[in-house]
Amino acid sequence: MTAKPKLPRASQAAASPATPIWTRKDLLAIRDLSPEELTLVLDTAAAFKQVGAREIKKVPALRGKTLINFFVEPSTRTRTSFELAAFRLSADVVNISASTSSLSKGETLKDTARNLQALHADIIVLRHSSAGAPLFLSQRLASSVINAGDGAHEHPTQALLDVFTIRERLGRVAGLHVAIIGDILFSRVARSDIAALLKLGAKVTLVGPSTLVPREFEKMGVSVTHDIDSILGEVDVVNLLRIQHERQRKEYFPGLGEYTALFGLTKERAARLKPDALIMHPGPINRGVEIDSEIADSARSVILDQVTNGLAVRMAVLYLCGGCGSGNAAIR
Amino acid sequence: MIPPAAPQPPAPDAVLVLDAQAIDRALRRIAHEIVERNPDLSRICIVGVPSRGIEVSHRIASYIETFEQILPDIGVIDVAMHRDDLRIRPRLPRVAVSHLPPDIEDRTLILADDVLFSGRTCRAAMDSIASFGRPRRIQLAVLIDRGHRELPIRPDYVGKNLPTSPEQRVYVRFQSIDQVPDSVWMDKE
């Protein structure tokens, strides 16, 4: 808070105007971003995180802008997080879900989106079950398009909040060893996380049954193992993905009990982690399946920090993509 | 004293307005004036506006320490997220993390910046401060006042009044940020 003695001079270098600027109107995928852009989002998020601690938790940066949360696939926590982020930036928000939109009446995605633009939406946050839907819209609309999860492709803001949380807690991302455990095959979170972690210089190991973690992933530059116990002692972060048991067909693994026995973060396994290792989970958690209930509530678990940081990261993304005037050629 | 190397102009047509020595003198004088007008130096906080205002705040604070043996509190206030001209600016400003003392209610905050022009940055800084709380008073210290205010804002401490035309650019350079000797320049008319 009060800086005494002097503030580190390095903080000025970070704010130096010589650093590259953001030129994107859309955020579609982590794999599009350079390490410098990723770092800019994280630095911007750090500044916006502080807004939540102020007496007045609202800034006028997006005053007068309209954000449409267009969730063709249901989601409560991501939608709420984007909604609150937009409120804190003083934007106006409208929520549209698949059931309330005319998609259910047979309107195409493109026509629905053109209607949203005709309503002068400045930013469209899209969650869609088809990979590439945000890209499709971004190429056809002047509005900013933010990917809030598309099929099994990417969920960029989740990866940004994950690396933000790691950087905040451990001071860096480069050189850390991160294990991502669970359903990688169906997971857009895993794909975005892998891209963000590798770009920032972390080492990534994927862990899970061979049906959900095929060796094919090694082509992305990560290690794959089917034995969780072999890596527990050497990782700095374990990121547990939710077993989407409502989605999976039965043939991918025999049962939840066996999954927990082979891959769950039980008390015994947690005890073998490094003392300062972080335990992460994008939520909602299945207590007793991928993570032991007590471990989920322990001091090393940063699951609720991830929720708070998600808000800051989404504010940063909305500011960077939607902050400028539309039709501003210098930025667009 | 070793004379500093002649600084290079930041633009081909720029002329030197203040050299390192003149900047020093101006900031020392501001430090003296702050001491004069604020009898209780433990209740002030000098708040820099990123990025070069931070350097101005550090320099003023260290002069006050030299004169009075009290290092005043220093802070940083982000203005980017409080600007009213985001949609017309050619580039999006970077946001910065703010640092203010927790008890701003009974303090005098002294905003420090390099150049005062339209006054819009100052207004954004005051709005930003207001979102943290309600300081006892806010004062404004600037190295250069170049005129052309668009808001009813007046500085309390001025290093140098610099008559300019609205189109002329003013450049402030600090060794610690720009890796060139401290200097202030302006475009030839």
Side-chain angles (χ1 to χ4, degrees):
Chain A
M1 295 307 286
T2 309
K4 203 176 195 178
K6 295 190 173 183
L7 289 168
R9 300 249 161 170
S11 67
Q12 295 174 20
S16 156
T19 43
I21 56 161
W22 182 266
T23 55
R24 295 175 185 278
K25 86 172 172 73
D26 312 300
L27 177 67
L28 304 174
I30 296 292
R31 67 194 77 182
D32 298 341
L33 303 183
S34 67
E36 292 72 28
E37 286 174 306
L38 276 171
T39 304
L40 174 67
V41 180
L42 301 184
D43 291 345
T44 304
F48 279 116
K49 181 169 182 180
Q50 200 190 31
V51 174
R54 295 187 191 179
E55 205 170 283
I56 297 170
K57 298 174 182 55
K58 197 166 176 133
V59 297
L62 295 188
R63 188 163 56 193
K65 303 258 182 185
T66 303
L67 178 141
I68 295 189
N69 261 329
F70 186 22
F71 279 63
V72 179
E73 197 183 62
S75 151
T76 305
R77 60 183 66 212
T78 305
R79 184 181 54 76
T80 309
S81 182
F82 269 110
E83 195 172 346
L84 202 47
F87 286 152
R88 293 215 168 146
L89 294 169
S90 306
D92 297 306
V93 182
V94 180
N95 290 305
I96 297 176
S97 61
S99 53
T100 60
S101 79
S102 291
L103 285 176
S104 56
K105 298 176 189 163
E107 188 175 52
T108 65
L109 175 64
K110 186 179 168 188
D111 282 328
T112 304
R114 285 161 59 101
N115 276 280
L116 300 181
Q117 179 159 285
L119 294 169
H120 306 293
D122 298 289
I123 306 171
I124 295 173
V125 178
L126 179 66
R127 157 79 55 104
H128 201 282
S129 52
S130 299
L135 174 68
F136 176 86
L137 285 196
S138 72
Q139 291 166 337
R140 286 160 181 81
L141 300 182
S143 318
S144 291
V145 177
I146 312 293
N147 182 1
D150 59 335
H153 175 226
E154 283 230 26
H155 189 353
T157 55
Q158 177 71 43
L160 289 167
L161 76 89
D162 286 344
V163 290
F164 181 90
T165 304
I166 293 171
R167 192 178 81 154
E168 186 181 63
R169 281 299 193 106
L170 300 179
R172 67 198 164 101
V173 177
L176 297 179
H177 187 180
V178 180
I180 304 177
I181 303 172
D183 173 6
I184 313 288
L185 186 62
F186 292 106
S187 174
R188 55 191 168 218
V189 173
R191 283 168 180 78
S192 290
D193 270 342
I194 291 167
L197 289 164
L198 292 180
K199 278 171 197 277
L200 294 176
K203 179 175 181 243
V204 179
T205 301
L206 308 180
V207 187
S210 55
T211 47
L212 294 177
V213 188
R215 291 266 167 204
E216 197 69 11
F217 275 96
E218 287 175 345
K219 288 181 185 160
M220 292 181 81
V222 301
S223 313
V224 170
T225 177
H226 308 305
D227 175 15
I228 186 173
D229 297 300
S230 67
I231 50 113
L232 283 176
E234 55 188 75
V235 295
D236 302 292
V237 178
V238 286
N239 192 5
L240 303 160
L241 299 185
R242 197 171 73 92
I243 288 299
Q244 307 184 33
H245 50 80
E246 73 281 5
R247 269 190 208 184
Q248 261 129 40
R249 287 168 297 173
K250 287 204 164 54
E251 58 264 37
Y252 285 97
F253 56 92
L256 292 179
E258 181 170 331
Y259 181 85
T260 307
L262 287 172
F263 298 103
L265 189 64
T266 57
K267 283 195 205 68
E268 298 71 43
R269 289 199 175 107
R272 286 163 45 212
L273 289 168
K274 286 187 191 175
D276 57 348
L278 298 186
I279 299 169
M280 306 178 73
H281 193 300
I285 57 177
N286 296 320
R287 285 179 185 267
V289 180
E290 64 264 357
I291 184 166
D292 178 84
S293 189
E294 267 178 51
I295 301 300
D297 300 328
S298 69
R300 282 187 292 175
S301 151
V302 293
I303 296 171
L304 294 176
D305 295 46
Q306 288 174 270
V307 177
T308 306
N309 292 339
L311 195 51
V313 159
R314 291 182 177 114
M315 287 173 80
V317 168
L318 295 180
Y319 174 78
L320 289 170
C321 292
C324 279
S326 48
N328 190 331
I331 295 284
R332 300 296 163 92
Chain B
M1 212 172 129
I2 307 152
Q8 289 298 305
D13 263 1
V15 293
L16 187 65
V17 179
L18 298 178
D19 62 8
Q21 246 186 353
I23 290 175
D24 243 31
R25 271 198 296 270
L27 294 177
R28 281 165 170 281
R29 184 171 45 71
I30 289 176
H32 277 299
E33 289 174 9
I34 289 174
V35 172
E36 237 173 68
R37 293 194 31 201
N38 294 279
D40 186 358
L41 292 174
S42 69
R43 303 315 301 159
I44 69 168
C45 177
I46 305 180
V47 179
V49 176
S51 58
R52 292 189 181 79
I54 297 175
E55 175 67 14
V56 173
S57 71
H58 283 278
R59 300 272 281 266
I60 293 174
S62 78
Y63 286 131
I64 292 178
E65 188 187 20
T66 312
F67 306 147
E68 300 294 317
Q69 288 73 51
I70 297 172
L71 179 63
D73 287 323
I74 45 186
V76 175
I77 192 76
D78 170 72
V79 293
M81 45 183 116
H82 285 269
R83 296 203 77 101
D84 61 4
D85 55 356
L86 281 183
R87 56 185 58 217
I88 55 170
R89 289 173 77 87
R91 42 190 273 188
L92 198 63
R94 260 177 185 267
V95 295
V97 179
S98 299
H99 299 272
L100 288 183
D103 54 340
I104 64 171
E105 266 71 15
D106 55 349
R107 281 180 185 255
T108 296
L109 301 192
I110 302 171
L111 278 173
D113 205 354
D114 54 350
V115 178
L116 178 61
F117 188 14
S118 67
R120 288 180 190 270
T121 302
C122 178
R123 184 205 59 81
M126 289 192 286
D127 281 355
S128 187
I129 288 170
S131 74
F132 285 90
R134 185 175 179 275
R136 193 155 168 72
R137 63 178 74 76
I138 301 176
Q139 300 175 344
L140 174 61
V142 295
L143 176 58
I144 302 288
D145 180 356
R146 58 166 298 186
H148 307 289
R149 216 79 71 239
E150 294 168 5
L151 294 168
I153 283 169
R154 170 189 66 75
D156 299 275
Y157 313 100
V158 183
K160 184 175 177 60
N161 283 297
L162 191 61
T164 58
S165 72
E167 295 74 33
Q168 263 178 314
R169 282 198 61 179
V170 173
Y171 311 85
V172 175
R173 294 292 178 262
F174 285 125
Q175 182 75 50
S176 60
I177 296 175
D178 307 288
Q179 282 82 48
V180 297
D182 291 355
S183 48
V184 177
W185 307 77
M186 65 191 279
D187 283 341
K188 254 188 222 154
E189 267 190 277

